[in-house]
Amino acid sequence: MKKRTKLLLTILLTISGTTFAQIGDYSEKREISGITEKWHTLELPTSVFNGLSDNLSDLRIYGVSTKDTIEAPYLLNVKKEKHVQKEVVFSLINTAIRANTHYFTFEVPTTKTLNEISLNFKNENFDWKVKLEGSQEQSKWFTILEDSRILSIKNEQTDFRFSHLKFPNSKYRYYRISFKSDVAPKLLDAKIYLHETIEAQYNMAEIGDYEISRNKEKKQTIVQIALKQRQPISFLNLDIPNDYDYYRSFQVQYAQDSVPTDKGIKFTYRTLFRGTLNSIEKNEFNFNSVMAKNLRIIIDDHDNQSLNITNMSIKGYKHYLTVRFTDKRDYFLVYGNINAQKPNYDIVHTSKSIPTSLIRVELGPEIQIPKNGKEPIAPLFENKIWLWSVMAIVILVIGGFTLKMMSKKES
Protein backbone atom coordinates (compact mmCIF):
# COMPACT_ATOMS: atom_id res chain seq x y z
CA MET A 1 0.00 0.00 0.00
CA LYS A 2 2.84 2.39 0.85
CA LYS A 3 4.46 1.77 -2.55
CA ARG A 4 1.20 2.61 -4.33
CA THR A 5 0.78 5.80 -2.29
CA LYS A 6 4.35 6.93 -3.09
CA LEU A 7 3.81 6.19 -6.77
CA LEU A 8 0.61 8.21 -6.85
CA LEU A 9 2.28 11.13 -5.05
CA THR A 10 5.09 11.07 -7.59
CA ILE A 11 2.59 11.15 -10.46
CA LEU A 12 0.72 14.04 -8.79
CA LEU A 13 3.86 16.14 -8.37
CA THR A 14 4.96 15.44 -11.94
CA ILE A 15 1.59 16.46 -13.40
CA SER A 16 1.30 19.58 -11.24
CA GLY A 17 4.80 20.61 -12.29
CA THR A 18 3.76 20.61 -15.94
CA THR A 19 1.13 23.27 -15.28
CA PHE A 20 3.69 25.91 -14.35
CA ALA A 21 5.81 27.50 -17.05
CA GLN A 22 9.58 26.98 -16.91
CA ILE A 23 12.48 28.07 -19.08
CA GLY A 24 11.76 25.36 -21.64
CA ASP A 25 8.35 26.89 -22.36
CA TYR A 26 9.97 30.05 -23.81
CA SER A 27 11.78 30.56 -27.10
CA GLU A 28 14.65 32.94 -26.19
CA LYS A 29 16.85 33.68 -23.21
CA ARG A 30 19.60 36.12 -22.26
CA GLU A 31 22.00 35.68 -19.38
CA ILE A 32 22.08 38.49 -16.80
CA SER A 33 25.53 39.55 -15.62
CA GLY A 34 26.80 41.99 -12.99
CA ILE A 35 24.49 40.96 -10.12
CA THR A 36 26.00 42.14 -6.83
CA GLU A 37 23.03 43.42 -4.82
CA LYS A 38 19.52 42.37 -3.88
CA TRP A 39 17.97 45.01 -6.20
CA HIS A 40 19.11 45.89 -9.71
CA THR A 41 17.76 47.53 -12.85
CA LEU A 42 18.16 46.42 -16.45
CA GLU A 43 17.20 48.04 -19.74
CA LEU A 44 15.34 46.00 -22.33
CA PRO A 45 17.13 46.33 -25.69
CA THR A 46 14.90 46.87 -28.71
CA SER A 47 15.84 43.43 -30.09
CA VAL A 48 13.95 41.80 -27.19
CA PHE A 49 10.61 43.11 -28.47
CA ASN A 50 10.79 41.00 -31.63
CA GLY A 51 9.97 37.91 -29.60
CA LEU A 52 7.65 39.43 -27.01
CA SER A 53 3.86 39.42 -26.96
CA ASP A 54 2.05 42.72 -27.48
CA ASN A 55 1.29 43.21 -23.77
CA LEU A 56 4.74 42.00 -22.60
CA SER A 57 3.07 39.29 -20.50
CA ASP A 58 5.75 36.69 -21.32
CA LEU A 59 8.71 38.44 -19.68
CA ARG A 60 10.25 36.27 -16.96
CA ILE A 61 13.51 36.15 -15.01
CA TYR A 62 14.58 32.71 -13.82
CA GLY A 63 17.38 31.87 -11.42
CA VAL A 64 18.96 28.45 -12.03
CA SER A 65 21.02 26.33 -9.63
CA THR A 66 21.96 22.65 -9.44
CA LYS A 67 19.05 22.10 -7.03
CA ASP A 68 16.14 24.07 -8.44
CA THR A 69 14.87 26.97 -10.57
CA ILE A 70 13.19 30.03 -9.07
CA GLU A 71 11.41 33.03 -10.58
CA ALA A 72 12.74 36.50 -9.73
CA PRO A 73 10.03 39.21 -9.42
CA TYR A 74 10.32 42.49 -11.31
CA LEU A 75 8.60 45.83 -11.88
CA LEU A 76 8.27 47.24 -15.39
CA ASN A 77 9.13 50.92 -15.74
CA VAL A 78 8.24 52.65 -19.04
CA LYS A 79 10.07 55.98 -19.39
CA LYS A 80 7.15 58.15 -20.50
CA GLU A 81 7.13 61.93 -20.30
CA LYS A 82 5.47 63.40 -17.23
CA HIS A 83 3.57 66.70 -17.28
CA VAL A 84 2.82 68.84 -14.26
CA GLN A 85 0.62 71.83 -15.05
CA LYS A 86 -0.22 74.27 -12.26
CA GLU A 87 -2.83 76.89 -13.05
CA VAL A 88 -2.20 80.32 -11.51
CA VAL A 89 -4.97 82.69 -10.37
CA PHE A 90 -4.88 86.07 -12.14
CA SER A 91 -7.05 89.06 -13.04
CA LEU A 92 -7.73 90.79 -16.35
CA ILE A 93 -7.24 94.41 -15.24
CA ASN A 94 -7.22 96.32 -18.51
CA THR A 95 -8.26 96.12 -22.18
CA ALA A 96 -7.43 98.89 -24.65
CA ILE A 97 -7.15 99.66 -28.35
CA ARG A 98 -4.90 102.10 -30.17
CA ALA A 99 -4.46 102.31 -33.95
CA ASN A 100 -5.97 98.87 -34.52
CA THR A 101 -3.66 97.37 -31.87
CA HIS A 102 -5.53 95.59 -29.11
CA TYR A 103 -4.08 95.27 -25.58
CA PHE A 104 -4.98 92.88 -22.74
CA THR A 105 -3.23 93.31 -19.39
CA PHE A 106 -3.25 90.63 -16.67
CA GLU A 107 -2.22 90.95 -13.03
CA VAL A 108 -0.70 87.86 -11.41
CA PRO A 109 -0.63 88.24 -7.59
CA THR A 110 2.18 85.72 -7.10
CA THR A 111 5.93 85.46 -7.34
CA LYS A 112 5.78 82.03 -8.98
CA THR A 113 7.46 81.31 -12.29
CA LEU A 114 5.15 81.14 -15.33
CA ASN A 115 5.72 79.84 -18.85
CA GLU A 116 2.40 79.40 -20.67
CA ILE A 117 -0.75 81.38 -21.43
CA SER A 118 -3.81 79.83 -23.07
CA LEU A 119 -6.17 82.26 -24.83
CA ASN A 120 -9.77 81.47 -25.73
CA PHE A 121 -11.42 83.85 -28.21
CA LYS A 122 -15.02 83.72 -29.39
CA ASN A 123 -13.78 84.78 -32.84
CA GLU A 124 -13.36 82.22 -35.58
CA ASN A 125 -11.05 82.39 -38.61
CA PHE A 126 -8.40 84.76 -37.30
CA ASP A 127 -4.65 84.98 -37.78
CA TRP A 128 -2.85 87.31 -35.34
CA LYS A 129 0.79 87.88 -34.43
CA VAL A 130 0.99 88.46 -30.71
CA LYS A 131 3.52 90.37 -28.64
CA LEU A 132 3.89 89.35 -24.99
CA GLU A 133 5.46 91.69 -22.44
CA GLY A 134 6.11 91.59 -18.70
CA SER A 135 6.39 94.31 -16.06
CA GLN A 136 6.68 94.67 -12.30
CA GLU A 137 4.92 98.03 -11.96
CA GLN A 138 3.48 98.79 -15.49
CA SER A 139 5.91 101.65 -16.12
CA LYS A 140 8.61 99.61 -17.89
CA TRP A 141 7.64 96.71 -20.12
CA PHE A 142 10.03 93.94 -21.20
CA THR A 143 9.45 91.84 -24.32
CA ILE A 144 9.01 88.11 -23.69
CA LEU A 145 7.66 87.04 -27.09
CA GLU A 146 7.61 88.88 -30.41
CA ASP A 147 5.35 87.98 -33.38
CA SER A 148 4.08 84.77 -31.81
CA ARG A 149 1.36 83.50 -34.10
CA ILE A 150 -2.12 82.43 -32.97
CA LEU A 151 -4.88 81.50 -35.37
CA SER A 152 -8.21 79.77 -35.91
CA ILE A 153 -9.43 78.15 -39.11
CA LYS A 154 -12.89 76.65 -39.40
CA ASN A 155 -14.46 75.53 -42.67
CA GLU A 156 -15.77 72.36 -44.32
CA GLN A 157 -12.28 70.89 -44.59
CA THR A 158 -10.49 72.11 -41.45
CA ASP A 159 -11.30 72.87 -37.83
CA PHE A 160 -7.99 74.01 -36.36
CA ARG A 161 -7.19 76.36 -33.49
CA PHE A 162 -3.82 77.29 -32.02
CA SER A 163 -3.93 79.95 -29.30
CA HIS A 164 -1.23 79.02 -26.77
CA LEU A 165 1.71 81.21 -25.89
CA LYS A 166 4.69 79.23 -24.61
CA PHE A 167 7.61 81.25 -23.35
CA PRO A 168 10.74 80.95 -21.18
CA ASN A 169 10.20 80.83 -17.41
CA SER A 170 9.27 84.38 -16.30
CA LYS A 171 8.50 86.17 -13.03
CA TYR A 172 6.44 89.34 -13.48
CA ARG A 173 3.49 90.79 -11.65
CA TYR A 174 1.90 92.05 -14.89
CA TYR A 175 1.68 90.45 -18.33
CA ARG A 176 0.44 92.23 -21.45
CA ILE A 177 -0.47 90.79 -24.84
CA SER A 178 -1.02 92.94 -27.91
CA PHE A 179 -1.76 92.36 -31.61
CA LYS A 180 -3.15 94.18 -34.62
CA SER A 181 -6.60 93.27 -35.88
CA ASP A 182 -9.22 94.97 -38.01
CA VAL A 183 -11.85 92.87 -36.25
CA ALA A 184 -12.52 93.39 -32.55
CA PRO A 185 -11.24 90.36 -30.63
CA LYS A 186 -13.66 88.85 -28.11
CA LEU A 187 -11.63 87.22 -25.35
CA LEU A 188 -13.81 84.70 -23.52
CA ASP A 189 -11.20 83.63 -20.99
CA ALA A 190 -7.52 83.04 -20.49
CA LYS A 191 -5.46 80.66 -18.37
CA ILE A 192 -1.94 81.14 -17.10
CA TYR A 193 0.21 78.16 -16.17
CA LEU A 194 3.48 76.94 -14.85
CA HIS A 195 4.06 73.90 -17.05
CA GLU A 196 6.83 71.52 -16.01
CA THR A 197 7.81 68.51 -18.09
CA ILE A 198 9.97 65.53 -17.21
CA GLU A 199 11.26 64.44 -20.60
CA ALA A 200 10.67 60.92 -21.87
CA GLN A 201 13.50 58.54 -22.68
CA TYR A 202 13.31 57.09 -26.18
CA ASN A 203 14.79 54.42 -28.38
CA MET A 204 15.01 55.49 -32.02
CA ALA A 205 13.27 53.10 -34.42
CA GLU A 206 15.25 52.23 -37.54
CA ILE A 207 13.22 52.72 -40.71
CA GLY A 208 13.90 49.94 -43.18
CA ASP A 209 11.92 51.37 -46.07
CA TYR A 210 9.13 53.83 -46.80
CA GLU A 211 7.05 54.76 -49.85
CA ILE A 212 4.97 57.89 -50.51
CA SER A 213 2.07 57.67 -52.95
CA ARG A 214 -1.00 59.70 -53.93
CA ASN A 215 -4.57 58.43 -53.94
CA LYS A 216 -6.15 60.75 -56.51
CA GLU A 217 -9.65 59.42 -56.01
CA LYS A 218 -9.67 60.07 -52.27
CA LYS A 219 -7.32 63.09 -52.56
CA GLN A 220 -4.94 61.67 -50.00
CA THR A 221 -1.21 61.21 -49.56
CA ILE A 222 -0.29 57.72 -48.29
CA VAL A 223 3.02 57.03 -46.55
CA GLN A 224 3.85 53.34 -46.05
CA ILE A 225 6.59 52.70 -43.49
CA ALA A 226 8.36 49.43 -42.66
CA LEU A 227 10.57 49.42 -39.58
CA LYS A 228 13.58 47.14 -39.46
CA GLN A 229 12.13 45.35 -36.46
CA ARG A 230 9.02 45.17 -34.34
CA GLN A 231 9.18 47.41 -31.26
CA PRO A 232 7.11 49.83 -29.15
CA ILE A 233 6.49 53.21 -30.82
CA SER A 234 4.98 56.34 -29.27
CA PHE A 235 6.43 59.35 -31.16
CA LEU A 236 6.39 60.61 -34.74
CA ASN A 237 8.14 63.60 -36.30
CA LEU A 238 7.67 64.69 -39.91
CA ASP A 239 9.95 67.23 -41.60
CA ILE A 240 7.84 69.28 -44.04
CA PRO A 241 9.81 72.20 -45.53
CA ASN A 242 6.95 73.71 -47.59
CA ASP A 243 7.20 77.51 -47.40
CA TYR A 244 3.42 78.13 -47.53
CA ASP A 245 0.76 77.75 -44.84
CA TYR A 246 -0.93 74.37 -44.60
CA TYR A 247 -3.37 72.64 -42.24
CA ARG A 248 -4.03 69.00 -43.09
CA SER A 249 -5.91 66.37 -41.08
CA PHE A 250 -4.02 63.11 -40.92
CA GLN A 251 -3.99 59.77 -39.14
CA VAL A 252 -1.33 57.27 -38.11
CA GLN A 253 -2.19 53.58 -38.44
CA TYR A 254 -0.30 50.42 -37.55
CA ALA A 255 -0.59 46.92 -38.98
CA GLN A 256 -2.44 44.85 -36.41
CA ASP A 257 -2.53 41.66 -38.49
CA SER A 258 -1.37 40.31 -41.85
CA VAL A 259 -2.62 37.73 -44.32
CA PRO A 260 -0.54 36.19 -47.16
CA THR A 261 -2.17 36.52 -50.59
CA ASP A 262 -1.20 35.84 -54.21
CA LYS A 263 -0.17 39.49 -54.53
CA GLY A 264 1.92 39.45 -51.34
CA ILE A 265 1.18 40.14 -47.71
CA LYS A 266 -1.99 42.13 -47.00
CA PHE A 267 -2.04 44.10 -43.74
CA THR A 268 -5.03 44.93 -41.56
CA TYR A 269 -4.52 48.41 -40.14
CA ARG A 270 -5.83 50.02 -36.98
CA THR A 271 -5.88 53.79 -36.36
CA LEU A 272 -3.45 54.82 -33.64
CA PHE A 273 -3.60 58.63 -33.75
CA ARG A 274 -5.48 61.48 -35.45
CA GLY A 275 -4.18 65.03 -35.64
CA THR A 276 -3.42 68.04 -37.84
CA LEU A 277 -0.24 68.77 -39.75
CA ASN A 278 0.35 72.51 -39.80
CA SER A 279 2.92 75.14 -40.64
CA ILE A 280 2.69 76.94 -37.26
CA GLU A 281 4.46 74.49 -34.98
CA LYS A 282 6.68 71.44 -35.20
CA ASN A 283 4.94 68.39 -36.58
CA GLU A 284 5.81 66.25 -33.58
CA PHE A 285 3.19 63.94 -32.12
CA ASN A 286 2.99 61.71 -29.06
CA PHE A 287 0.50 58.86 -28.83
CA ASN A 288 -0.20 55.73 -26.83
CA SER A 289 2.61 53.22 -27.03
CA VAL A 290 1.93 50.25 -29.31
CA MET A 291 4.01 47.33 -30.59
CA ALA A 292 4.41 47.71 -34.35
CA LYS A 293 6.62 47.11 -37.35
CA ASN A 294 4.52 48.36 -40.29
CA LEU A 295 2.88 51.80 -40.24
CA ARG A 296 0.74 53.88 -42.55
CA ILE A 297 0.22 57.65 -42.52
CA ILE A 298 -2.83 59.02 -44.37
CA ILE A 299 -2.90 62.78 -45.09
CA ASP A 300 -6.10 64.43 -46.33
CA ASP A 301 -4.98 66.86 -49.04
CA HIS A 302 -8.43 67.68 -50.45
CA ASP A 303 -7.78 69.90 -53.48
CA ASN A 304 -4.35 71.02 -52.29
CA GLN A 305 -0.91 70.12 -53.53
CA SER A 306 0.72 67.21 -51.68
CA LEU A 307 3.11 68.16 -48.89
CA ASN A 308 6.81 67.55 -49.35
CA ILE A 309 7.95 65.15 -46.60
CA THR A 310 11.75 65.15 -46.63
CA ASN A 311 12.46 63.21 -43.47
CA MET A 312 10.75 61.42 -40.60
CA SER A 313 11.70 59.95 -37.25
CA ILE A 314 9.88 57.39 -35.12
CA LYS A 315 10.68 56.63 -31.50
CA GLY A 316 9.43 54.46 -28.65
CA TYR A 317 9.77 54.69 -24.88
CA LYS A 318 12.64 52.93 -23.19
CA HIS A 319 11.62 50.03 -20.94
CA TYR A 320 13.42 49.12 -17.72
CA LEU A 321 12.96 46.27 -15.24
CA THR A 322 13.57 46.67 -11.51
CA VAL A 323 14.43 43.16 -10.30
CA ARG A 324 14.83 41.52 -6.89
CA PHE A 325 17.50 38.81 -6.75
CA THR A 326 17.24 36.66 -3.62
CA ASP A 327 20.41 34.54 -3.77
CA LYS A 328 23.44 33.66 -5.85
CA ARG A 329 22.65 31.61 -8.94
CA ASP A 330 22.65 31.96 -12.73
CA TYR A 331 19.84 34.30 -13.81
CA PHE A 332 18.28 34.53 -17.26
CA LEU A 333 15.76 36.86 -18.88
CA VAL A 334 13.43 34.65 -20.94
CA TYR A 335 10.61 35.56 -23.33
CA GLY A 336 8.65 34.26 -26.28
CA ASN A 337 5.63 32.33 -24.99
CA ILE A 338 2.21 33.21 -26.39
CA ASN A 339 0.49 31.19 -23.66
CA ALA A 340 2.15 32.99 -20.75
CA GLN A 341 -0.06 35.05 -18.47
CA LYS A 342 1.01 38.39 -17.00
CA PRO A 343 2.82 37.72 -13.69
CA ASN A 344 1.47 38.97 -10.36
CA TYR A 345 4.24 39.82 -7.90
CA ASP A 346 4.05 41.05 -4.30
CA ILE A 347 6.64 43.77 -4.94
CA VAL A 348 3.98 45.75 -6.81
CA HIS A 349 2.48 46.56 -3.39
CA THR A 350 5.82 47.14 -1.62
CA SER A 351 7.57 49.34 -4.18
CA LYS A 352 8.30 52.01 -1.55
CA SER A 353 10.91 49.74 0.01
CA ILE A 354 12.93 49.57 -3.23
CA PRO A 355 16.16 51.66 -3.13
CA THR A 356 16.07 54.80 -5.26
CA SER A 357 19.60 54.28 -6.58
CA LEU A 358 20.05 50.98 -8.40
CA ILE A 359 23.06 49.45 -10.14
CA ARG A 360 22.37 48.46 -13.71
CA VAL A 361 23.02 44.87 -14.82
CA GLU A 362 23.71 43.77 -18.37
CA LEU A 363 22.10 41.27 -20.71
CA GLY A 364 24.06 38.79 -22.78
CA PRO A 365 23.34 37.90 -26.40
CA GLU A 366 20.06 36.29 -27.34
CA ILE A 367 20.12 32.47 -27.25
CA GLN A 368 17.46 30.26 -28.78
CA ILE A 369 16.05 27.81 -26.24
CA PRO A 370 16.14 24.33 -27.85
CA LYS A 371 12.93 22.36 -28.16
CA ASN A 372 12.68 18.58 -28.04
CA GLY A 373 11.81 16.92 -31.34
CA LYS A 374 9.24 14.65 -29.70
CA GLU A 375 6.39 15.77 -27.53
CA PRO A 376 7.11 14.53 -23.99
CA ILE A 377 3.39 14.51 -23.14
CA ALA A 378 0.48 13.17 -25.14
CA PRO A 379 -1.63 15.85 -26.84
CA LEU A 380 -4.43 15.19 -24.36
CA PHE A 381 -2.32 16.73 -21.57
CA GLU A 382 -1.60 19.92 -23.48
CA ASN A 383 -5.02 21.10 -22.33
CA LYS A 384 -4.91 22.56 -18.81
CA ILE A 385 -8.50 21.42 -18.13
CA TRP A 386 -7.45 17.78 -18.64
CA LEU A 387 -4.40 18.30 -16.43
CA TRP A 388 -6.45 19.62 -13.55
CA SER A 389 -9.02 16.88 -14.08
CA VAL A 390 -6.34 14.20 -13.82
CA MET A 391 -4.95 15.89 -10.72
CA ALA A 392 -8.40 15.85 -9.11
CA ILE A 393 -8.80 12.13 -9.91
CA VAL A 394 -5.39 11.32 -8.41
CA ILE A 395 -6.26 13.27 -5.26
CA LEU A 396 -9.53 11.34 -4.94
CA VAL A 397 -7.69 8.03 -5.38
CA ILE A 398 -5.13 8.96 -2.72
CA GLY A 399 -7.96 10.02 -0.41
CA GLY A 400 -9.68 6.68 -0.97
CA PHE A 401 -6.54 4.70 -0.12
CA THR A 402 -6.03 6.82 3.00
CA LEU A 403 -9.59 6.19 4.23
CA LYS A 404 -9.17 2.44 3.62
CA MET A 405 -5.95 2.37 5.64
CA MET A 406 -7.58 4.30 8.49
CA SER A 407 -10.60 1.94 8.55
CA LYS A 408 -8.32 -1.14 8.68
CA LYS A 409 -6.38 0.29 11.63
CA GLU A 410 -9.62 0.98 13.53
CA SER A 411 -10.82 -2.58 12.92
Side-chain angles (χ1 to χ4, degrees), residues 235-279:
F235 175 91
L236 169 69
N237 174 68
L238 297 177
D239 290 338
I240 304 174
N242 295 73
D243 56 1
Y244 53 81
D245 286 340
Y246 58 87
Y247 313 95
R248 310 281 174 89
S249 299
F250 82 108
Q251 56 182 301
V252 181
Q253 300 179 334
Y254 70 100
Q256 190 178 32
D257 199 1
S258 61
V259 178
T261 66
D262 296 337
K263 297 181 180 180
I265 297 176
K266 183 179 180 181
F267 294 106
T268 301
Y269 287 94
R270 183 175 181 178
T271 299
L272 176 60
F273 175 80
R274 297 179 186 272
T276 303
L277 299 172
N278 67 88
S279 53

Side-chain angles (χ1 to χ4, degrees), residues 370-376:
K371 304 294 180 184
N372 293 330
K374 296 181 180 180
E375 290 293 333

Side-chain angles (χ1 to χ4, degrees), residues 110-244:
T110 180
T111 58
K112 292 182 179 179
T113 300
L114 306 176
N115 55 19
E116 184 174 343
I117 297 176
S118 176
L119 303 169
N120 181 20
F121 292 93
K122 186 177 180 181
N123 308 65
E124 294 180 350
N125 296 308
F126 61 81
D127 186 353
W128 299 322
K129 291 185 177 180
V130 175
K131 182 178 183 179
L132 174 64
E133 300 169 287
S135 176
Q136 300 295 358
E137 69 293 310
Q138 296 193 77
S139 59
K140 292 183 179 179
W141 290 93
F142 301 91
T143 301
I144 302 173
L145 291 176
E146 187 86 47
D147 290 337
S148 185
R149 194 175 179 187
I150 62 173
L151 77 159
S152 171
I153 300 174
K154 188 171 184 179
N155 51 44
E156 294 180 356
Q157 299 177 357
T158 305
D159 187 356
F160 176 77
R161 180 178 290 263
F162 181 79
S163 55
H164 292 270
L165 300 177
K166 297 181 180 180
F167 49 93
N169 290 354
S170 302
K171 282 186 179 182
Y172 292 102
R173 184 173 179 82
Y174 301 96
Y175 291 85
R176 183 173 70 184
I177 63 171
S178 60
F179 53 88
K180 289 187 176 182
S181 173
D182 295 331
V183 178
K186 297 177 182 179
L187 182 65
L188 295 176
D189 61 74
K191 294 180 180 180
I192 300 179
Y193 301 101
L194 170 60
H195 194 136
E196 297 176 322
T197 302
I198 300 174
E199 298 296 334
Q201 295 182 25
Y202 290 105
N203 284 317
M204 188 68 70
E206 291 189 63
I207 298 175
D209 190 21
Y210 72 91
E211 179 183 354
I212 301 176
S213 61
R214 169 85 172 174
N215 187 325
K216 294 182 179 180
E217 183 180 351
K218 295 184 178 180
K219 300 179 180 180
Q220 294 174 331
T221 297
I222 313 295
V223 184
Q224 299 278 0
I225 305 169
L227 304 180
K228 286 189 176 181
Q229 70 167 43
R230 177 174 171 269
Q231 68 178 82
I233 59 166
S234 51
F235 175 91
L236 169 69
N237 174 68
L238 297 177
D239 290 338
I240 304 174
N242 295 73
D243 56 1
Y244 53 81

Side-chain angles (χ1 to χ4, degrees), residues 31-84:
E31 187 171 6
I32 302 173
S33 61
I35 301 172
T36 58
E37 307 292 335
K38 181 179 179 180
W39 293 96
H40 282 283
T41 183
L42 67 86
E43 180 183 352
L44 295 178
T46 54
S47 55
V48 166
F49 297 107
N50 263 329
L52 274 172
S53 60
D54 287 347
N55 61 357
L56 311 185
S57 62
D58 52 337
L59 270 176
R60 296 292 189 277
I61 294 176
Y62 285 120
V64 181
S65 71
T66 55
K67 296 181 179 180
D68 60 1
T69 298
I70 63 171
E71 186 171 338
Y74 67 83
L75 292 175
L76 177 63
N77 183 13
V78 182
K79 294 295 184 178
K80 299 179 181 180
E81 66 275 4
K82 295 181 181 178
H83 298 278
V84 179

